[in-house]
Structure formats: structure tokens, C-alpha cells
Amino acid sequence: MSLALRLEGVTKRYGAHVVLDDVTLDVEPGTLHAIIGPNGAGKSTLFGVVSGEHTVARGRVLLGGRDVTRVPAATRVGMGVARAFQVARVFPDLTVADNVLVAVLASHRLTQVFWRRRVPERTEREARRALERMQLTALADRPARSLSQGDRKRLEIGMALALDARLLLLDEPTAGMSPEETAATTRLIREVWRETGVTVLLTEHDMQVVFDLAQRLTVLHRGRVLCTDVPERVRERPDVAEVYLGVSAQHA
Amino acid sequence: MRAGGRWWAVALAVAVVAWAVAVPRLGLGQLALWEDVAIQVLFATSVNLLLGYANIPSFGQAAFYGAGAYTVALLAQSAWPPLAALAAAVAVAAALAFVTGLITSRVTGLAFSMVTLAIGQVLYTFVLQSNAAGGEGGISGVAPPARGLFDLTQPVHLWWFILLCVAVAMLALWWVVSSPFGRALTAIREDPKRAAFLGIAVRRYRVMAFTIAGGAAGLAGGLYAYSTTIVAPAVLNWTQSASPIMMALVGGMHTFLGPALGAVLITWLLYVLGQATRAYLLYVGVVLLAFVLLVPRGIVSIPDLLRRLAGGRRATGAAPEVTP
């Protein structure tokens, strides 16, 4: 299941500073779409706008054709928008298994149940499957706090997937990972995308990952969309090389 | 529950029952003390649902405790049977907590604590001025009607009745914290933003927790009214809100039984020291300070602490254990 995303003329300001400037963007349902751009280009803000964390000054956000510009974050989750943060956010004192279980319970709207002690067997099974898929079964009983950054990110992606995501937002999914972890996570994202057909929108600094995964690329520069195209053609654009690759060489 | 946790639970239950049988033989003074202990166990546990499980630092729980106490005191005057009066106490306190929760759900942190404190003090002042509630003198002579299977005018019957009510309420609270809702609460405590992006409507859960904790505090207050037979405005005062927080701190916040243990220790200490010296609050303060400085995770962490001291160097930096 997949969800189309459309941004129409979205502008976001922090005081006088314009972070997103008239951004128009179409993400086709079921595609793997990457947003790239140097630091400060507005990538994380764009994710905040899509997930409902940030309000916008101007423009519209559409999910599956429905205008959700004023719809709160929790409701967008209910529509299938799942998000993993740049610095993985998990519940540190809960075990890995409980982290996933909370996500599964939330996806079935069972977290309000206080009159029943047992978690339904179906939910438990689903949580176990999610752990297996993310290869976290061996770590199930560890508190999430004790995980490495890479494992934490995997856990967070697993939690996002457990929500029955239709649009998956991954903010630098391989940041802070070792080369092996990066390769494994890249593979995992592709597998999950193939299996579920979910729309994936991701940002990434690692160009290898971007060109391995993305079907379409959007280049963001100082809050503006420079271009959106297939990776091969984006790579050949001289303006992209100038604004992006030039800067990326500096902080590599 | 951890391996062996079941045996601990059985051992604890046996000890509690044995003690419950023994107490009435120790005289009326001890009976009153241990009734108070049982009631404070419930009150501290209800506060810990907010403090420990949901990280909601409410300084106004006395409002709901007092609301429960006054509800029972007023209804006892029209000879309501105890179960009905207590049910009304729970309902009134829960409704009051629900409204308070709604009002305060937009503020967090210190501002939240201050608002809950203020709401509690408003109720205190209101009751102080109210004629129906007996004003400064409060309501005395609270007694259940002398009829029914349990004649609660008899001290021993009242003792068992209070214990039974506390036990049922504790089980209910244990049920709540180990339910899916309880897990969601701890998740919100750990990272409200992450929880929101899992689709958990954080504010609603906070209000729900507030309502449940308020209802439980109301029951504790209602039992207090039967136990002491006097309800004065002091039950609504902010010091009454501070004491269960202190008990939870001493016992161990992020656990279910910690606050109960804290309630036993503090209530007993207050009684024993109160008999020995007029400066008893000073000594209780010293005990509290000692716990905060030396055993910050409370009584429940003492076995772990001793093990680590005995084992020497191998401090693992173990995390606060989260029960369930």
C-alpha cells in the first residue's frame, strides 16, 4: 500500500529566515524518492512539514490527494505517514521488544486499552515478525538505551514499518552507521520497499546510498527545489554539481 | 514479571495477610496507625501512576484525596452505605481530576506542577469558607451506618474492610500499568514526541492517567474519612500533596511497589517519631534527605545496591528497573 505526496508552493519561515521557499514537489505512490542537498537546505524541515510537526506559512500539503495542511501529526500517522528521525528516537528505558510492541499496539489503536492486561496474541506475533524482519530478535530483551546508533536506527525503522506505513519518511537512515551497517540497512530498505510497496521519501548525505536506492531525486538548495529527476540525469546537471557536490566535498 | 517474581508476590501476600491478622491484637492505636498505612499505600501508588509511569509531576493530588474524604463525610451524614459512598467518592474525585486534567493538559513541566498546586489550593480555600463542609472545623463523627453483613462501627470489621478496598484498588492499578495503556504511558514518559509520531494522542493519555489516579486518590481519601472519623480542610492542603510524592521518592518511583514501601516506611516513621519527640518532622526530613542523596532510586533499589557494594568494582551502570 502506498500513498502519494504532493507539496504545493510550501513556504516555511523561522522569523525572518526562510527555510522552505515555495517548494513544489510530487512524490508518486510506491516510489523510492530521495531529497538531497547540502546542510541547511531545509531537508529536515521538509520532513517536519510532511509529517505534521511544523505548520507552514503558505502552500498546501496533500496526502493521497487529500489536503492535510491543517491536520495534526497524530492523525497523519493514522493515514499511514511513519517517520524515522535523523537522530533515532526510541524509548530508551523500554526493551527493544516493547518499543516495537508499542508501535504495533498504536497501529491497531489498542494503546488506550487499560481494562485488559494481556496484549492480544495477534499483536505479539506481529511484533515478533517486525523484530525478525529488522534482525533485532537477538536484542529483544535489551533496553533500547544500550543499542548502538546503527541498531537504534534499525529499531526505529522497524517501529515505523510496524505502523503499517504507506508513506515512510527516513531522515538520513544510515547516518552514524559503519560501512557494513550502511550496506545492510540499504538492503533492508530496498527489501521492505519491494515487499510492501510503500512510498519511501528519504534524505541522505551518503551519495552511494542515494544512487543505490532512489528512483527519483529532488535537489534542495537554500530552501528551494533546484530540480527533480531520475538519478542519472540529476548527476549530469552542472548546477547540481556546483551547489551540491562542491559543498559535499567540504564536509565529507 | 521477572523469573521468581511470582514467588515474591506470593511471599508478600502471605506476609501482608499475616500482619493483617496480627494488627487488631495490638490495640486500637496500632489499628489506627496501620489503617493509615494502608490508605497511604494506595494514595502514594495512585500518585506514582502519574509521577513514575507518566512523568506527570502533579502537586495537587490532595485535591482529589480531599474530595473523596469530604464526599464520604457528607454522604455518611445521610447514612449512605459505605460501598455506595466510596463509589461516589471515586466518581467525584475522578470527575474533578478529569476537568483538572483537561485544563492543565496544555502545560508541562514546572508550569504544570504550579497549576495543579494552585487548583488544589483553590479547593482548600473554598472548603475552608464553606458552611456545608463545616468550614475550618471540618466534619466530625463520620461513621458508616451500623447495619449490614459487615458492621463497620466495629473497629476490626472496619480494618478488614479498608484492607480489602485497598487491595482491590491496588490490583486495579497494577492492571492498568501492565495493560497496553500502561505501556503507552511509559512510552510517552520516555519520549512524548516519538510517541506522538507513532500516532499516540499524548494529551488524551495524560488526561486519562490523571483521571484514573484522581479516582484512586478519591478512594484513599474516602477510606481515610471512615478511619479517622474526622475530615478537616487540612486533607486538602498542599502538604497533603507533597507527602505521597515523598513516599514515592523514598520507595522508588519507576516501580509499582516502590511507592507502597515508601508509604509504609514514612507513615510508620511519622507515627513512631511523633510519639517520641515534638521535632519528629526534623528527623523525617533527615531520612528523606538521606534517601535522596544515598539511595536515589529508593527502597526497591537497596538489594541491587548491596549486591553491587558486595561485588565491588563491577558497577554496571544498571538502569532503573522498570516494572512491569
Side-chain angles (χ1 to χ4, degrees), chain B residues 84-104:
Chain B
L86 287 171
V90 171
V92 167
L96 197 63
F98 175 70
V99 174
T100 310
L102 276 188
I103 295 170
T104 55

Side-chain angles (χ1 to χ4, degrees), chain B residues 40 46 52 56 103 123 187 217 255 298 302 304 310 324:
Chain B
Q40 297 315 312
S46 79
I56 303 174
I103 295 170
L123 199 67
T255 62
I302 287 178
D304 197 42

Side-chain angles (χ1 to χ4, degrees), chain B residues 69-88:
Chain B
Y70 269 99
T71 305
V72 162
L74 287 168
L75 292 177
Q77 291 180 331
S78 0
W80 276 46
L83 278 180
L86 287 171

Side-chain angles (χ1 to χ4, degrees), chain A residues 197-230:
Chain A
V198 64
T199 312
V200 178
L201 184 64
L202 60 88
T203 66
E204 188 56 72
H205 270 306
D206 187 331
M207 284 304 117
Q208 189 62 45
V209 174
V210 169
F211 285 107
D212 272 1
L213 281 177
Q215 296 174 307
R216 287 181 83 74
L217 271 183
T218 295
V219 183
L220 213 56
H221 180 56
R222 294 194 180 148
R224 285 172 168 276
V225 172
L226 207 66
C227 67
T228 297
D229 214 329
V230 294

Side-chain angles (χ1 to χ4, degrees), chain A residues 9-152:
Chain A
V10 166
T11 298
K12 170 78 187 165
R13 292 193 199 92
Y14 289 121
H17 184 57
V18 180
V19 193
L20 292 176
D21 189 1
D22 197 23
V23 168
T24 294
L25 176 68
D26 258 306
V27 178
E28 299 287 322
T31 51
L32 247 163
H33 194 124
I35 313 260
I36 60 170
N39 281 338
K43 304 186 295 285
S44 287
T45 306
L46 189 133
F47 270 34
V49 164
V50 173
S51 63
E53 184 185 7
H54 302 320
T55 55
V56 297
R58 229 187 20 241
R60 300 204 302 162
V61 181
L62 295 109
L63 287 172
R66 182 180 155 198
D67 186 344
V68 296
T69 316
R70 310 247 167 271
V71 170
T75 314
R76 294 192 205 184
V77 176
M79 296 174 66
V81 180
R83 177 177 186 189
F85 291 84
Q86 195 169 340
V87 176
R89 293 185 87 126
V90 294
F91 305 117
D93 274 355
L94 300 189
T95 62
V96 170
D98 274 352
N99 266 279
V100 175
L101 189 60
V102 167
V104 174
L105 285 168
S107 81
H108 291 293
R109 296 168 197 282
L110 286 172
T111 40
Q112 273 189 51
V113 173
F114 64 83
W115 52 89
R116 222 172 29 210
R117 259 194 73 193
R118 285 212 167 276
V119 172
E121 178 58 30
R122 178 172 57 101
T123 330
E124 294 256 27
R125 238 181 299 137
E126 210 174 304
R128 272 200 301 275
R129 264 207 308 277
L131 281 176
E132 276 163 35
R133 177 156 66 185
M134 304 315 285
Q135 291 153 22
L136 288 168
T137 310
L139 302 173
D141 292 328
R142 294 252 303 265
R145 175 178 9 82
S146 70
L147 299 189
S148 71
Q149 179 65 13
D151 286 340
R152 240 185 259 201

Side-chain angles (χ1 to χ4, degrees), chain A residues 53 93 98 111-112 156, chain B residues 183 190 193-194 204-205:
Chain A
E53 184 185 7
D93 274 355
D98 274 352
T111 40
Q112 273 189 51
E156 202 191 25
Chain B
R183 281 173 212 257
E190 304 274 297
K193 188 172 171 187
R194 175 71 270 180
R204 193 190 314 151
Y205 284 73

Side-chain angles (χ1 to χ4, degrees), chain B:
Chain B
M1 206 177 270
R2 280 160 294 141
R6 200 168 292 262
W7 290 110
W8 276 107
V10 169
L12 188 71
V14 169
V16 168
V17 169
W19 190 238
V21 172
V23 165
R25 290 160 218 276
L26 303 175
L28 286 181
Q30 287 293 313
L31 204 56
L33 162 65
W34 288 96
E35 278 175 9
D36 193 26
V37 168
I39 290 162
Q40 297 315 312
V41 162
L42 175 57
F43 190 24
T45 305
S46 79
V47 169
N48 190 51
L49 176 69
L50 301 181
L51 204 62
Y53 282 91
N55 194 17
I56 303 174
S58 169
F59 283 179
Q61 291 310 101
F64 315 121
Y65 181 81
Y70 269 99
T71 305
V72 162
L74 287 168
L75 292 177
Q77 291 180 331
S78 0
W80 276 46
L83 278 180
L86 287 171
V90 171
V92 167
L96 197 63
F98 175 70
V99 174
T100 310
L102 276 188
I103 295 170
T104 55
S105 69
R106 280 184 188 280
V107 273
T108 52
L110 190 61
F112 175 86
S113 300
M114 289 302 111
V115 174
T116 53
L117 184 65
I119 290 176
Q121 289 303 92
V122 166
L123 199 67
Y124 169 68
T125 313
F126 173 77
V127 167
L128 211 55
Q129 309 292 331
S130 152
N131 284 328
E136 224 171 306
I139 301 169
S140 54
V142 179
R147 62 179 131 95
L149 187 61
F150 274 111
D151 179 3
L152 297 187
T153 51
Q154 290 188 37
V156 180
H157 285 191
L158 183 62
W159 160 246
W160 282 106
F161 178 75
I162 287 174
L163 273 192
L164 215 65
C165 288
V166 169
V168 169
M170 290 291 283
L171 276 176
L173 286 174
W174 165 250
W175 199 270
V176 167
V177 300
S178 41
S179 69
F181 171 75
R183 281 173 212 257
L185 270 193
T186 44
I188 291 170
R189 172 190 79 198
E190 304 274 297
D191 189 342
K193 188 172 171 187
R194 175 71 270 180
F197 281 101
L198 290 178
I200 294 173
V202 173
R203 274 181 56 207
R204 193 190 314 151
Y205 284 73
R206 290 209 164 120
V207 175
M208 281 171 75
F210 212 74
T211 307
I212 293 171
L219 178 61
L223 293 173
Y224 166 87
Y226 282 132
S227 173
T228 61
T229 73
I230 298 172
V231 177
V235 293
L236 288 158
N237 201 1
W238 70 271
T239 50
Q240 189 72 45
S241 293
S243 82
I245 294 175
M246 187 167 85
M247 291 164 183
L249 270 174
V250 167
M253 273 196 325
H254 288 191
T255 62
F256 184 76
L257 281 180
L261 294 175
V264 174
L265 179 70
I266 295 286
T267 313
W268 179 78
L269 261 184
L270 279 171
Y271 174 82
V272 171
L273 292 172
Q275 302 246 306
T277 162
R278 281 173 64 192
Y280 65 105
L281 283 178
L282 177 72
Y283 297 102
V284 173
V286 171
V287 170
L288 179 63
L289 210 62
F291 264 96
V292 169
L293 293 175
L294 303 175
V295 202
R297 282 179 202 141
I299 298 172
V300 287
S301 71
I302 287 178
D304 197 42
L305 209 67
L306 291 178
R307 218 175 302 140
R308 231 184 297 165
L309 282 178
R313 307 162 299 275
R314 289 185 48 192
T316 49
E321 191 171 314
V322 181
T323 321

